[in-house]
Amino acid sequence: MSDSLVIIPTFNEIENIEAIIRAVFDLKKEFHVLIVDDNSPDGTSEQVKILQKEFQNKLFLEV
């Protein structure tokens, strides 16, 4: 369980979102990550939903 939260606002970040999320989870400290997507038409939130399966209970999405 983490005591820290990283909030990442996104809009059209499909090309970067996976690398950003993995970079945070690769840090020595444990974090929860909240992606706040502003209804990206490029599918950013769908990519985050796929990654949520890998990072269960650590990666969250608000659209």
Side-chain angles (χ1 to χ4, degrees):
M1 176 128 194
S2 174
D3 63 351
S4 300
L5 174 66
V6 174
I7 301 172
I8 303 172
T10 61
F11 184 76
N12 287 341
E13 291 295 332
I14 190 73
E15 294 179 15
N16 305 312
I17 195 61
E18 183 171 356
I20 294 167
I21 290 169
R22 291 190 184 282
V24 172
F25 287 131
D26 283 344
L27 297 171
K28 289 185 179 184
K29 181 167 175 48
E30 187 176 328
F31 294 96
H32 284 135
V33 175
L34 172 61
I35 304 297
V36 181
D37 186 59
D38 194 15
N39 202 20
S40 295
D42 70 346
T44 299
S45 62
E46 285 75 23
Q47 181 63 36
V48 173
K49 289 175 186 175
I50 292 168
L51 291 168
Q52 281 181 307
K53 295 173 185 169
E54 181 178 346
F55 299 107
Q56 292 182 1
N57 300 317
K58 297 197 302 188
L59 177 59
F60 305 93
L61 174 64
E62 181 67 37
V63 289

